[in-house]
Amino acid sequence: MAQLLSVNAGRGRPADYTDAALTGIDKRPVAGPVAVAAPGGPTGTAGSGVAGDVIGDLRDHGGDDQAVYAYAREDLDLWQAELGRELSNGVFGENLTTSGLDVNGALIGERWRIGADLVLEVTSARIPCRTFAGWLAEKGWVRRFTQVARPGAYLRVIEPGRIEAGDRVEVVLRPEHDVTVEVLFRALTTQAELLPRTLAAGEALNVLSAERIRRRLGRMNGVPS
């Protein structure tokens, strides 16, 4: 059974590896129920969908299309073995640490029900940034993370609700296309030949990913961005 191992939130801390004054990447498990709702704006203007969670750099994070970030405990365990260090729930900056759920195999537009009320929709893959690299402090981290292609998923809130550790995660909708989180990530990073395939995800794609795809396909076709 797929379940939620923890709900994680960051209070914000100073960091010299980001352009923002604060970073919320240091997320820790929260005890008890946590409210999750759409932040109420696009990326660049709105924060996290998880109550109490701070996002320091709103330029490429947060907003309705990236309200929640999920990462599988199974993938954290693989990285833990690879890096030879303990990786606690939330250490990748994820709001939701899951178990028994194929996060990277989730389809763009796939919907999850968590607990009694919350419904989330997968919108995109996490693209590693300088803040992530600075926080992990692992040599060549962006390159390593990209090559492995286990990025985790961003989600939008379809129906708000309160969730807590131990809640069941149920996939309640699977689109008919084949654009998974991993396929989208590879298309946007190392395998540009996959870009045309990602268009099948349509309006379920978050705005930032859709814009990146449009620009890159345009360049591939000789159209100025």
Side-chain angles (χ1 to χ4, degrees), residues 33 121 129 135 155 177 188 209-210:
E121 182 177 86
C129 62
W135 169 241
L155 305 104
H177 62 73
L188 289 172
S209 294

Side-chain angles (χ1 to χ4, degrees), residues 36-38 64 109-112 117-123 155-161:
V36 180
D64 288 343
E110 179 174 306
R111 293 187 178 183
W112 305 345
D117 302 311
L118 181 67
V119 177
L120 301 176
E121 182 177 86
V122 177
T123 66
L155 305 104
R156 62 171 63 95
V157 179
I158 301 300
E159 297 177 16

Side-chain angles (χ1 to χ4, degrees), residues 24-36:
I25 197 169
D26 181 13
K27 301 196 190 302
R28 311 289 179 91
V30 178
V34 181
V36 180

Side-chain angles (χ1 to χ4, degrees), residues 6-70:
S6 65
V7 184
N8 315 303
R11 294 185 177 181
R13 56 183 290 168
D16 58 7
Y17 42 76
T18 175
D19 293 333
L22 295 175
T23 175
I25 197 169
D26 181 13
K27 301 196 190 302
R28 311 289 179 91
V30 178
V34 181
V36 180
T43 299
T45 65
S48 174
V50 176
D53 182 42
V54 171
I55 295 179
D57 180 7
L58 292 176
R59 182 178 55 189
D60 295 312
H61 303 86
D64 288 343
D65 278 356
Q66 297 181 165
V68 178
Y69 174 50

Side-chain angles (χ1 to χ4, degrees), residues 7 14 23 49 68-69 85 91 107 110 125 130-131 146 179 224:
V7 184
T23 175
V68 178
Y69 174 50
R85 57 187 271 198
V91 73
L107 296 168
E110 179 174 306
R130 187 161 63 94
T131 299
T146 300
V179 185

Side-chain angles (χ1 to χ4, degrees), residues 93-108:
E94 79 272 15
N95 298 114
L96 310 180
T97 309
T98 66
S99 174
L101 182 68
D102 186 4
V103 175
N104 298 308
L107 296 168
I108 304 301

